[in-house]
Amino acid sequence: MRYTIDYDLTNCDAEPLRFIRSCQHGAVLLVLYADSLRIKGASENCHELFGRSAKDLLGEDAGAVLGSESMDLIRQASAASSFDTVNPFEHYHRSTDGSVRKNLVVNQEGELLILEFEDRDEQFGTTAFLMQVDRSLARIQSFSGSDVAELHATTVQEVRRLTGYDRVYLYEFDKEYNGKVVAEARREGMESFLHLHYPHTDIPKQARELYLRQQVRMVTSTVADCDSLLITDDRTPIDLSTAGNRGVSPIHLEYLRNMGVGASLSIAVTVNGKLWGLLACHHEAPRSIDFRLRKLLGLFGRILSGHLALHQTASFRNNVLSTSLLRARLVDRLIEAQDIVTPIQENEEMLLSLMKADGAALLIEDHILRIGSCPEEKELSLLLGFLEQQPSNIFSTASLYRLYAPAKNFSTAPAGLLSIRISKEPAEHLVWFRPETIRELAWGGRPEQRKEIVDGKVRLHPHLSFAKYVQTTSGEARPWAQHHLDNALALRNDIKEVILVKYQEMRHLNNKLVSAYEELQSFSYTVSHDLRAPLRGIKGYAKILQEDYSDRLDDFGQSALRTIVSSVDRMNTFINGILEFSRIGSGRLRVEAIHLPTLLDEVWQSSHIQQDVALNKHLDVEYVIGDHTLLWQLFQNFLSNSVKYRREEVASYITVRTRQLDEGVSIEIEDNGIGFDVKHAGSIFTPFTRLVSEEEYEGSGIGLAIAQRIVQKHYGDIDVDSKPNVGTTFEIRLPGNLQELVEQDNQQNA
C-alpha cells in the first residue's frame, strides 16, 4: 500500500505526500542506511536494473549491488556532506544484456540515503543543445522592461522550446492560493487555458510546501498503477521529500487524467520566500526529461523569481515614494493650520489620492467631516462603534459587509474600509472608503461539479469538465495594498505628532495668556484705583458748587454741574464693570448643587428689581450644578436687564424655564420687553456694546459680557433669540458633568 490509510477528496489536504511508499514509472529507487550503506528499501521494479527482487536486496551491502565505482563516488560525496554539487552521478550497470548508463541521483534524509536511478539523455551534453539552453537563458535574463506580461510570455515559450511539452503555462497564486493562468505556450490545436482560474484545492497546502523544498516536480506518467511500490525492512515511514521520482498522489493522477494530461512537470516560482506561482508543463503522452535539464529549469524559475522580485520591489518603491510625497504635503498643511479639520477639508482630493479611495471621513472632536462618496453622519456614528471594537490602531478590509452587515444598507454602501485611530478616548478616527466592485472570474470548469461519491468515498467526477465557466462575484472592493497600509500608519503617527506639537504650542500660549491676564487684572485694579481718586475729587467739587454756589449760577451752569456729576457716576459704573468682568476669569469654581427656585427668589428679592414685573417659574429641573456666587450674578444680570428693557405699554413678565438634556440642563429666560433685531445677536455679548441710546436706558454695556463669561466658565454655552417689540429669550446650557470637567482642568493646570 502507498499509505497506511485511504485518502479521498474529503481528507486529501492531509495526504502525507512525502511519505508515499512508491516510485514513479521509469525510475528505480533504493534506500540505504547512511552509516552501513546496507539496503533498507527498494522499489518493486528493481529487478529490471539489478536482476534481483526487492525483497532479495533488503539488508544487502550496496557495494555488491552497485559496484565499487559508484560506491566510491557515493562515499566521497557523503563524507563531504554534499550531493547537490555532484548529482547526477553517471552509473554504469553491467549485465548479461550489456551495459546500461543511468543517472544516479543521491540525497540524504536524516540517517538514510535515497538513491534514484533514471534514464540518461545523451542529447543533453551536445553542443547544439547547450547552445539552445544558453539562448533561452539569455532571452529571459535580458528582460529589463516594466511589461511583466512580456516576461511571462517569453519564459513559457523558452521552457516549451527546451522541454518539448505540449503545453507550458505560468500559474499565479492569489492570497488564498487560487491560481490564474497569466501566460501560455501550447501546441497548435490545443484549447487555451489563458486567464482561467483554478481553486486552491487543486494544489493542496502540503503540495505547495513541498515545492518550497523541492523546486522541480516531474510526473512521468499518469497511467493508473504504473508506479512501483517501495518494499522496506520495516513499516517505518520514509521521508521521500527530496526524491524527484517519489510516487504521485492517486488523487492528483486522476485529476491529470481527467484533464487529458499524460505527463507533467512543475517548476516553483518563489518571491521573497513565498510561493508566487508555478511554471506548469503538460504533455498528452508519458514523458520524462533528464535530471540535468530539470536542474536548469530550476534556474529558469529562479531567474523568473528574481525578475518578479525586482519588479515588485520597484513597483512598491515607486508607490511608497508617490504616496509618501502626498503624505508629506498633507502633513505640511496640517502643521501650517491652527487645527486638524481645516487643512483636510481644504485638501480633500489629496487625502483621497493618498489611499486611492472614493470617499473619506474625519471623526474628531465631536466633528464629522465627510469627503467624496461617504456614508451619512448617522451611519458614520454607527460605524464608529464597530471601529472602536477593533483592537489595532489601523484596520482594513476589502469585504466590510462580511464583518459589519449594516454597511451594505448604507447610503453609499462601501465594501472597502481603511481606518486609523487617532485617539481612543475620545474616539477619533480617519477613515477611507472604496465601493464594491463587480468582477467576472473565468474558471476552468465549475468547482462545485468536480466531485462524486462512489462506494462511500468522495472522488473526482470521471467526466470532470475544464471548460470555461464565468462566475460573477460581488461584495468586495479593491484590496488595500501594503504601501497604503504602511502610509496610513505613518500618517497616523504624523497626525499624533502634529497634535502633540500644537498642544505644546497651545500650552505655551496659555501660560503666556495666564501671565498676561494676571498683568491685565493687576493693571485694571491699578487703573481703577488711580481713576477713582480724581473722579471723587471732580464729583466732590461739583457737589460743593451745587450746594454753595448754585444761586450764583444760571440755568446752564446748574445743568453743567448735573452733567458732571452724572458723568462721574457713569464712569464709576464703567470702572466697576471692568473690575467685575476681569474678576470673572480668575479663581476656580466652587461647584455645588444649587436649588434654583431658592436662588431665583433671592436674586429677585434682594436686587429690588421687581418694579411691576411678574416673575414666572416653570422648572422641570430644580437643581443645577455650579458656582453659587457666579450663578447668582448671572441671574441678577439677566433679570435686571429684562426689567430695564421692559415695555411700559404692556404687562411685563419674565419666565424662567428649565428642562433636562442628555448632556446636562437647559435654562431659558424669556421676557416680553423691547427686544432687538436678531442680526445683532453676535455683538450683544461684546463688552460695552449697546443697542439703545444712553439717554433712554442707563447701563454700561458690560452685563451680558459678564453673563457670557460666567456661562463659559461653567463649560456651557448661550444662545439668544429676539424680535423687536416682542421680547427676548436667552437659552443657557450647562453640562451635567461639571465637577468632572473642573477636576480635569485643574489636573492639566497643576
Side-chain angles (χ1 to χ4, degrees):
M1 291 181 62
R2 295 171 181 82
Y3 299 117
T4 55
I5 62 175
D6 291 334
Y7 292 92
D8 61 16
L9 293 184
T10 61
N11 60 352
C12 65
D13 56 347
E15 187 179 4
L17 301 176
R18 61 196 180 107
F19 293 115
I20 191 167
R21 303 172 66 91
S22 70
C23 171
Q24 288 193 57
H25 169 75
V28 174
L29 191 67
L30 291 181
V31 181
L32 312 182
Y33 290 102
D35 54 355
S36 65
L37 297 181
R38 292 192 173 274
I39 298 175
K40 173 182 176 55
S43 57
E44 281 185 323
N45 63 345
C46 64
H47 65 276
E48 298 174 1
L49 185 61
F50 304 118
R52 299 173 60 184
S53 70
K55 290 184 178 180
D56 288 343
L57 293 179
L58 298 182
E60 288 283 326
D61 178 73
V65 178
L66 303 183
S68 59
E69 186 176 343
S70 291
M71 289 307 301
D72 288 342
L73 293 174
I74 292 173
R75 288 189 183 94
Q76 291 172 14
S78 182
S81 301
S82 174
F83 290 101
D84 286 340
T85 58
V86 294
N87 279 331
F89 300 99
E90 188 173 5
H91 174 72
Y92 290 90
H93 187 78
R94 296 174 179 83
S95 66
T96 55
D97 298 331
S99 298
V100 177
R101 292 207 304 175
K102 293 280 188 179
N103 278 335
L104 170 56
V105 181
V106 183
N107 288 289
Q108 184 160 0
E109 191 65 54
E111 297 179 351
L112 301 176
L113 295 180
I114 312 297
L115 279 61
E116 300 173 78
F117 301 86
E118 58 179 62
D119 292 338
R120 184 178 179 88
D121 186 355
E122 297 304 331
Q123 179 194 359
F124 180 82
T126 64
T127 302
F129 188 79
L130 292 178
M131 289 295 293
Q132 185 180 352
V133 170
D134 182 67
R135 285 192 295 271
S136 294
L137 282 170
R139 289 189 185 101
I140 298 174
Q141 281 184 305
S142 63
F143 176 80
S144 59
S146 59
D147 188 359
V148 180
E150 180 186 342
L151 171 65
H152 294 168
T154 300
T155 302
V156 296
Q157 288 166 5
E158 296 305 323
V159 170
R160 182 168 184 263
R161 194 193 317 277
L162 286 177
T163 61
Y165 280 88
D166 291 330
R167 184 200 308 273
V168 177
Y169 59 91
L170 182 60
Y171 190 80
E172 180 183 1
F173 294 126
D174 64 14
K175 61 182 180 180
E176 281 86 27
Y177 288 101
N178 298 306
K180 177 185 178 182
V181 178
V182 296
E184 179 185 53
R186 67 187 190 279
R187 177 173 51 78
E188 187 177 352
M190 294 186 75
E191 181 183 2
S192 175
F193 289 171
L194 189 60
H195 304 312
L196 293 184
H197 291 73
Y198 295 88
H200 65 91
T201 51
D202 283 10
I203 306 175
K205 180 182 178 181
Q206 70 274 31
R208 297 194 298 267
E209 290 173 347
L210 280 173
Y211 278 120
L212 291 175
R213 185 171 182 184
Q214 185 187 44
Q215 187 186 10
V216 180
R217 173 65 164 150
M218 181 175 66
V219 176
T220 59
S221 175
T222 62
V223 175
D225 299 324
C226 71
D227 57 342
S228 299
L229 295 179
L230 180 63
I231 308 300
T232 59
D233 56 8
D234 59 26
R235 298 295 295 171
T236 303
I238 298 175
D239 189 344
L240 299 178
S241 298
T242 58
N245 290 283
R246 72 176 180 276
V248 184
S249 162
I251 299 173
H252 184 56
L253 290 174
E254 185 177 16
Y255 174 84
L256 291 174
R257 288 195 296 271
N258 284 335
M259 287 186 76
V261 175
S264 73
L265 179 80
S266 301
I267 306 161
V269 180
T270 59
V271 176
N272 298 323
K274 189 176 181 180
L275 191 61
W276 178 93
L278 296 174
L279 270 166
C281 309
H282 287 172
H283 206 66
E284 290 186 347
R287 184 176 182 80
S288 64
I289 60 174
D290 192 283
F291 175 84
R292 293 166 293 177
L293 179 55
R294 300 205 302 273
K295 295 292 284 186
L296 272 176
L297 292 175
L299 177 60
F300 278 48
R302 289 190 291 275
I303 293 173
L304 175 59
S305 298
H307 279 306
L308 293 173
L310 286 173
H311 176 76
Q312 285 188 5
T313 301
S315 177
F316 183 78
R317 183 180 65 248
N318 292 336
N319 286 326
V320 168
L321 179 61
S322 62
T323 51
S324 295
L325 289 173
L326 271 176
R327 191 184 83 247
R329 288 167 56 195
L330 183 60
V331 172
D332 286 343
R333 306 291 194 280
L334 294 173
I335 294 172
E336 294 168 359
Q338 296 299 316
D339 59 18
I340 300 297
V341 177
T342 302
I344 289 180
Q345 193 169 21
E346 293 176 349
N347 296 274
E348 294 181 352
E349 288 301 322
M350 190 184 302
L351 186 72
L352 296 179
S353 297
L354 186 65
M355 299 298 165
K356 291 291 187 287
D358 288 57
L362 177 65
L363 303 92
I364 188 169
E365 297 176 349
D366 297 325
H367 183 90
I368 296 179
L369 173 64
R370 300 170 60 249
I371 299 171
S373 180
C374 181
E376 300 295 334
E377 285 196 14
K378 61 182 180 180
E379 296 168 340
L380 289 172
S381 298
L382 294 173
L383 185 62
L384 185 60
F386 166 75
L387 294 176
E388 281 306 290
Q389 298 173 10
Q390 308 311 315
S392 176
N393 289 323
I394 180 170
F395 171 77
S396 67
T397 178
S399 51
L400 180 60
Y401 304 158
R402 299 178 190 172
L403 303 176
Y404 184 66
K408 190 169 181 62
N409 298 317
F410 281 1
S411 55
T412 57
L417 179 145
L418 171 57
S419 168
I420 53 176
R421 178 184 288 124
I422 299 173
S423 72
K424 193 170 183 65
E425 291 292 340
E428 296 179 333
H429 292 260
L430 179 55
V431 191
W432 291 268
F433 301 102
R434 284 178 177 174
E436 173 187 29
T437 57
I438 308 299
R439 294 193 303 160
E440 287 190 349
L441 297 180
W443 292 89
R446 289 178 176 263
E448 68 274 12
Q449 294 181 354
R450 294 187 169 204
K451 303 173 183 178
E452 69 169 359
I453 299 177
V454 178
D455 297 330
K457 292 185 178 181
V458 181
R459 299 188 52 177
L460 289 170
H461 198 285
H463 303 296
L464 180 63
S465 172
F466 290 89
K468 181 178 178 180
Y469 162 67
V470 178
Q471 179 188 32
T472 301
T473 64
S474 60
E476 293 192 359
R478 288 178 295 111
W480 306 96
Q482 186 60 48
H483 68 272
H484 289 134
L485 303 181
D486 294 343
N487 224 30
L489 191 57
L491 180 61
R492 176 183 182 271
N493 295 334
D494 290 337
I495 292 175
K496 297 281 282 187
E497 186 173 347
V498 169
I499 291 174
L500 181 60
V501 169
K502 290 187 181 299
Y503 169 76
Q504 296 292 352
E505 291 175 353
M506 292 298 294
R507 187 173 182 180
H508 177 66
L509 289 173
N510 185 62
N511 291 337
K512 291 177 67 176
L513 184 61
V514 169
S515 177
Y517 185 81
E518 291 173 350
E519 292 178 7
L520 178 62
Q521 192 175 37
S522 176
F523 174 76
S524 298
Y525 280 107
T526 301
V527 169
S528 65
H529 180 271
D530 292 344
L531 286 176
R532 285 181 193 276
L535 286 175
R536 283 195 297 269
I538 293 171
K539 185 175 182 180
Y541 281 110
K543 286 289 187 181
I544 291 172
L545 287 173
Q546 280 182 327
E547 293 172 0
D548 297 342
Y549 299 96
S550 61
D551 57 341
R552 302 182 188 183
L553 298 174
D554 57 14
D555 292 342
F556 177 76
Q558 292 181 8
S559 174
L561 284 176
R562 288 193 298 272
T563 300
I564 292 172
V565 173
S566 174
S567 296
V568 169
D569 289 340
R570 191 159 60 251
M571 179 62 74
N572 274 318
T573 302
F574 275 123
I575 293 171
N576 290 334
I578 291 172
L579 288 174
E580 193 63 43
F581 187 73
S582 65
R583 264 198 301 268
I584 297 300
S586 62
R588 295 183 177 180
L589 292 179
R590 299 179 62 183
V591 180
E592 58 181 306
I594 300 169
H595 188 242
L596 198 55
T598 302
L599 178 64
L600 290 172
D601 289 341
E602 290 175 354
V603 172
W604 190 249
Q605 293 168 10
S606 65
S607 300
H608 307 290
I609 58 177
Q610 301 94 321
Q611 299 188 15
D612 300 325
V613 178
L615 176 64
N616 306 315
K617 290 176 287 188
H618 302 292
L619 307 178
D620 293 342
V621 180
E622 293 192 346
Y623 281 90
V624 295
I625 305 298
D627 185 295
H628 186 280
T629 301
L630 292 180
L631 291 185
W632 194 99
Q633 187 175 5
L634 174 73
F635 287 110
Q636 195 274 340
N637 281 346
F638 279 123
L639 296 180
S640 62
N641 259 16
S642 293
V643 171
K644 182 192 304 183
Y645 298 115
R646 69 186 184 279
R647 287 182 289 154
E648 299 292 345
E649 68 274 13
V650 299
S652 300
Y653 67 84
I654 304 171
T655 301
V656 181
R657 300 184 184 87
T658 61
R659 58 189 175 91
Q660 189 68 51
L661 303 176
D662 291 340
E663 65 280 5
V665 63
S666 169
I667 304 171
E668 289 185 359
I669 303 170
E670 177 190 354
D671 65 44
N672 64 339
I674 64 172
F676 61 89
D677 192 331
V678 78
K679 70 180 181 181
H680 300 298
S683 63
I684 64 170
F685 297 107
T686 304
F688 310 117
T689 297
R690 294 173 57 83
L691 303 182
V692 294
S693 66
E694 294 182 9
E695 289 75 13
E696 293 181 86
Y697 298 94
E698 295 181 355
S700 62
I702 197 73
L704 289 179
I706 291 174
Q708 185 187 51
R709 179 162 286 194
I710 291 173
V711 172
Q712 290 173 344
K713 195 168 180 63
H714 281 75
Y715 302 91
D717 53 55
I718 184 170
D719 288 326
V720 62
D721 187 26
S722 185
K723 291 182 179 180
N725 296 317
V726 175
T728 301
T729 301
F730 290 92
E731 183 185 12
I732 303 160
R733 291 178 293 277
L734 300 178
N737 62 335
L738 180 61
Q739 182 70 54
E740 180 183 338
L741 294 172
V742 170
E743 290 175 358
Q744 290 177 359
D745 202 24
N746 291 340
Q747 290 174 1
Q748 291 178 358
N749 295 329

